[in-house]
Amino acid sequence: MPPQQSLSQLEDVPAFADAGRNAEAALRAADTDDALMRRAGIGDVCAFGRLVDRHSPRMYRVAYRLLTDAQEAEDAVQECFTRLWQNAPRWESRGGGLLTWLQQVTINLCLDRLRRFRVVPDGPLPEIADESPGPERQLAMQRLEEVIDQALCALPHRHRAALVLCYLEGVSNLLAGEMLGLNLKAMESLLFRARRSLREELERMGIAPEDLKLLA
């Protein structure tokens, strides 16, 4: 029969639990964007690498949807994080924080690139071969998503940016407006025109509004 624990030992158990919770909280606090930026600001490359790993996939997704070119998207994201490293010593968290800053810089870099040249898909969209067995609905959804991507490419740059931010990335109208240098009313007006442009482009491509229900 195991020896009985003393009262003092039993009283120490919550202390160990509290210590564990405090250590976990300290680790979380040290891994926030602001904490990592403070470390990056004094030259901590590992902290900066953590930020790149955390946020670069989302920035690439935004850039690719705007530029529709993998290499251009990679270059835009690399330039965005280069600017972040350069600004790290002077970083002050405000507004929507680091993620908002990264999105705004990425969007602006992409718009600058789009003003210099217009990226268009090479040739018609390829036919989709369903090599594995699956429902026809899945094939139709895949085809529809590619057509929507092609329609987005045909829109004016700011229309595309508004739709990518608000509908594909889930950014609020207010925050998207800040990124694009617009007040809320102007942003909502831009979004209205962007939706209309996309609808007209899809109709021109033979996609009816009811076809979009496939994506619901």
Side-chain angles (χ1 to χ4, degrees):
M1 183 174 181
Q4 289 185 334
Q5 291 179 304
S6 67
L7 181 59
S8 61
Q9 288 176 310
L10 291 175
E11 289 174 346
D12 284 342
V13 173
F16 281 118
D18 289 342
R21 284 193 292 269
N22 291 339
E24 185 178 351
L27 287 173
R28 285 198 302 268
D31 198 48
T32 63
D33 286 346
D34 288 340
L36 292 172
M37 280 301 296
R38 284 192 294 271
R39 288 163 53 192
I42 57 175
D44 189 330
V45 176
C46 292
F48 184 74
R50 174 73 174 136
L51 291 169
V52 173
D53 291 342
R54 177 180 295 172
H55 295 296
S56 60
R58 182 169 185 173
M59 295 308 105
Y60 176 81
R61 188 171 66 242
V62 170
Y64 183 77
R65 282 168 168 168
L66 287 171
L67 298 170
T68 66
D69 181 278
Q71 187 59 56
E72 287 294 329
E74 289 178 7
D75 290 347
V77 172
Q78 182 174 352
E79 185 174 352
C80 174
F81 281 97
T82 297
R83 292 190 183 187
L84 181 65
W85 175 254
Q86 293 169 344
N87 281 277
R90 302 178 298 278
W91 176 259
E92 293 181 8
S93 181
R94 55 182 178 271
L98 180 64
L99 179 58
T100 297
W101 188 93
L102 289 171
Q103 287 176 318
Q104 183 171 8
V105 172
T106 300
I107 288 287
N108 288 333
L109 287 171
C110 290
L111 291 178
D112 287 343
R113 288 170 181 270
L114 288 169
R115 292 185 191 105
R116 293 199 301 267
F117 62 89
R118 184 170 180 81
V119 179
V120 295
D122 294 330
L125 287 173
E127 293 295 328
I128 300 173
D130 188 12
E131 298 178 354
S132 60
E136 291 185 2
R137 177 184 174 87
Q138 183 177 356
L139 185 61
M141 287 176 63
Q142 186 178 352
R143 175 62 178 172
L144 181 57
E145 287 172 352
E146 292 201 6
V147 171
I148 290 175
D149 285 343
Q150 187 182 32
L152 279 171
C153 291
L155 298 185
H157 303 155
R158 289 174 72 82
H159 286 193
R160 192 192 313 175
L163 292 170
V164 167
L165 284 172
C166 295
Y167 289 102
L168 300 181
E169 291 300 316
V171 175
S172 70
N173 292 359
L174 181 61
L175 190 53
E178 291 179 6
M179 293 179 185
L180 296 175
L182 303 171
N183 60 36
L184 180 57
K185 185 175 181 180
M187 182 64 207
E188 290 175 343
S189 177
L190 174 64
L191 201 54
F192 174 81
R193 296 195 305 274
R195 287 196 303 264
R196 182 176 59 192
S197 296
L198 180 61
R199 183 173 63 251
E200 291 172 352
E201 183 64 23
L202 287 171
E203 289 175 354
R204 188 187 66 78
M205 298 170 69
I207 303 297
E210 53 269 22
D211 294 332
L212 298 179
K213 295 178 181 177
L214 275 173
L215 299 179

